[in-house]
Amino acid sequence: QVQLVESGGGSVEAGGSLRLSCVASSYKNAWMAWFRQVPGKEREGVAAIYTGSAATYYADSVKNRFTISQDNAKNTVYLQMNSLKPEDTTMYYCAARWVGGAWYGPLDSRGYDSWGQGTQVTVSS
């Protein structure tokens, strides 16, 4: 597994922007993704990137508002969040598919084996 550390969460007003960062303890060609989870609900895949090709996937709820990107030199994956809405409020988690195993698609949490501790995003109306 790989160690992941998120940062960049905070509080903003609706329409504002935040950039989340996820620093990995090591780096290789792998799927990395951002998920979010509202208490009492399932973890939702927000955006994913394959670091080998930079292919990206997004949930419909964040398309054209969020952008996932990578900086291989810094072992870092970013999530740029623009036009934030109150419904985007929750904890955001970085994940990596490091070991392998069953695969359910880039936005399905079951295929990821390494997780960060999360960073809180709060959007006020």
Side-chain angles (χ1 to χ4, degrees):
Q1 294 185 340
V2 62
Q3 305 302 314
L4 303 173
V5 178
E6 305 103 328
S7 63
S11 298
V12 296
E13 294 185 349
S17 298
L18 284 172
R19 188 177 78 159
L20 307 183
S21 299
C22 173
V23 180
S25 58
S26 58
Y27 218 66
K28 67 176 184 179
N29 292 343
W31 282 102
M32 295 189 70
W34 288 95
F35 289 81
R36 62 188 182 185
Q37 187 168 22
V38 175
K41 295 189 176 182
E42 291 187 358
R43 193 162 287 190
E44 175 191 12
V46 173
I49 187 167
Y50 185 69
T51 60
S53 66
T56 58
Y57 289 83
Y58 296 93
D60 288 343
S61 58
V62 305
K63 278 181 181 176
N64 300 317
R65 298 192 300 125
F66 291 10
T67 302
I68 189 169
S69 62
Q70 61 183 354
D71 185 335
N72 292 351
K74 297 181 178 179
N75 291 6
T76 302
V77 171
Y78 302 99
L79 184 68
Q80 177 67 42
M81 305 186 295
N82 298 329
S83 302
L84 282 162
K85 304 175 181 180
E87 52 262 44
D88 294 318
T89 295
T90 190
M91 285 289 287
Y92 284 72
Y93 299 89
C94 179
R97 176 176 169 80
W98 214 249
V99 175
W103 180 236
Y104 303 90
L107 296 181
D108 191 314
S109 63
R110 294 174 293 172
Y112 291 83
D113 48 69
S114 302
W115 294 85
Q117 292 189 332
T119 186
Q120 176 69 35
V121 171
T122 302
V123 185
S124 59
S125 58

